[in-house]
């Protein structure tokens, strides 16, 4: 009888131990899966913010170029315009939490809303975040089109100064400022079509 009780006790004990071990194993696996999912979600969100920065930078450049033209050449708008380009291209340091509202504060007079971080090009940041080759291709395409539109914006802004492009692509020819033509360049159908071309590969990313 004692032997039977001992056997039953051992069987019950082993069963409980196995169940507890299995429960611990399953719990750990679920925890790892949850952590992996959380990391993937955070990574994807950060990738979304970087991709959206391409769209936002293009919109900010448009706003500042138009404001410069309409204002008749207020240099602060041109300065902000080229700062955005330099940050995007890794020439100037990126502000901390640059994905948040920034240039609206600068436009309102707060010239340094947040401290600066390291200088790094937007596309290089995307590579660091592990963007796929397809994603990088789409966003690089958007940047190339945006850079091409910068030429139009630069022509319009220099036109306000009375500077016109020469055969080498430099603004060395001095003439009378043409405010009307500058405004037309920044608001015509061609400009809007090119803006849409920038947004198309960005929208495909999402």
């Amino acid at each position: 009888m004692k032997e039977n009780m001992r056997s039953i006790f051992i069987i019950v004990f082993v069963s409980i131990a196995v169940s507890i071990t299995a429960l611990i194993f399953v719990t750990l696996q679920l925890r790892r899966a949850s952590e992996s999912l959380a990391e993937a979600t955070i990574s994807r969100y950060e990738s979304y913010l970087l991709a959206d920065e391409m769209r936002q930078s293009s919109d900010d450049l448009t706003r500042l170029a138009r404001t410069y033209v309409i204002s008749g050449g207020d240099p602060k708008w041109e300065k902000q315009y080229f700062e955005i380009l330099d940050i995007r291209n890794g020439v100037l340091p990126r502000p901390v939490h640059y994905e948040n509202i920034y240039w609206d504060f600068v436009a309102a007079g707060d010239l340094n809303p947040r401290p600066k971080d390291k200088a790094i090009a937007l596309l290089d940041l995307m590579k660091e975040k592990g963007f796929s080759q397809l994603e990088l291709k789409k966003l690089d395409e958007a940047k190339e089109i945006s850079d091409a539109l910068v030429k139009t914006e630069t022509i319009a802004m220099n036109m306000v100064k009375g500077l016109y492009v020469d055969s080498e692509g430099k603004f060395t020819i001095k003439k009378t400022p043409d405010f009307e033509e500058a405004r037309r360049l920044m608001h015509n159908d061609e400009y809007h079509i090119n803006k849409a071309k920038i947004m198309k590969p960005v929208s495909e990313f999402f």
Side-chain angles (χ1 to χ4, degrees):
M1 183 68 177
K2 288 183 179 181
E3 289 297 324
N4 289 338
M5 290 296 294
R6 184 179 298 171
S7 298
I8 293 172
F9 177 78
I10 292 173
I11 292 171
V12 171
F13 178 80
V14 170
S15 298
I16 293 173
V18 169
S19 298
I20 292 174
T21 302
L23 181 60
I24 292 172
F25 176 78
V26 170
T27 301
L28 290 174
Q29 290 297 102
L30 288 173
R31 181 177 177 180
R32 290 193 188 99
S34 177
E35 290 174 349
S36 296
L37 179 60
E39 289 174 1
T41 301
I42 292 171
S43 177
R44 188 60 186 171
Y45 178 65
E46 290 175 345
S47 297
Y48 165 84
L49 291 177
L50 287 176
D52 188 61
E53 187 179 321
M54 182 67 72
R55 176 200 61 78
Q56 185 62 54
S57 67
S58 177
D59 286 346
D60 285 334
L61 291 172
T62 292
R63 174 178 58 81
L64 289 168
R66 284 176 172 170
T67 304
Y68 178 83
V69 168
I70 292 172
S71 71
D74 189 330
K76 69 181 180 182
W77 306 121
E78 184 183 40
K79 181 176 182 293
Q80 292 174 33
Y81 178 93
F82 285 108
E83 283 179 355
I84 290 174
L85 278 179
D86 285 343
I87 290 171
R88 188 169 79 177
N89 294 330
V91 177
L92 289 178
R94 291 170 58 84
V96 174
H97 298 304
Y98 192 43
E99 71 278 2
N100 292 334
I101 297 170
Y102 185 84
W103 290 105
D104 290 315
F105 295 132
V106 177
D110 185 356
L111 301 183
N112 191 27
R114 284 189 294 280
K116 301 296 191 294
D117 201 348
K118 65 179 180 178
I120 182 170
L122 178 57
L123 287 178
D124 289 336
L125 267 178
M126 293 172 175
K127 291 174 184 176
E128 283 188 1
K129 284 296 179 183
F131 279 44
S132 69
Q133 288 300 312
L134 179 60
E135 290 170 335
L136 287 171
K137 182 179 179 181
K138 288 183 181 297
L139 295 170
D140 188 46
E141 178 186 348
K143 183 180 180 299
E144 286 181 2
I145 301 171
S146 179
D147 288 344
L149 197 60
V150 165
K151 294 180 180 179
T152 298
E153 293 162 348
T154 305
I155 288 172
M157 288 192 290
N158 276 281
M159 204 172 280
V160 171
K161 303 176 191 176
L163 295 175
Y164 298 81
V165 68
D166 60 23
S167 59
E168 296 181 356
K170 298 178 181 179
F171 295 94
T172 61
I173 300 174
K174 295 183 179 181
K175 295 182 181 179
T176 303
D178 193 337
F179 298 101
E180 184 177 347
E181 178 62 13
R183 287 193 292 269
R184 190 193 70 79
L185 284 176
M186 291 301 304
H187 294 86
N188 61 15
D189 289 343
E190 183 180 357
Y191 187 89
H192 286 93
I193 289 170
N194 287 328
K195 279 287 291 185
K197 288 180 180 178
I198 296 171
M199 300 307 164
K200 189 174 188 301
V202 174
S203 68
E204 290 173 354
F205 175 87
F206 301 113

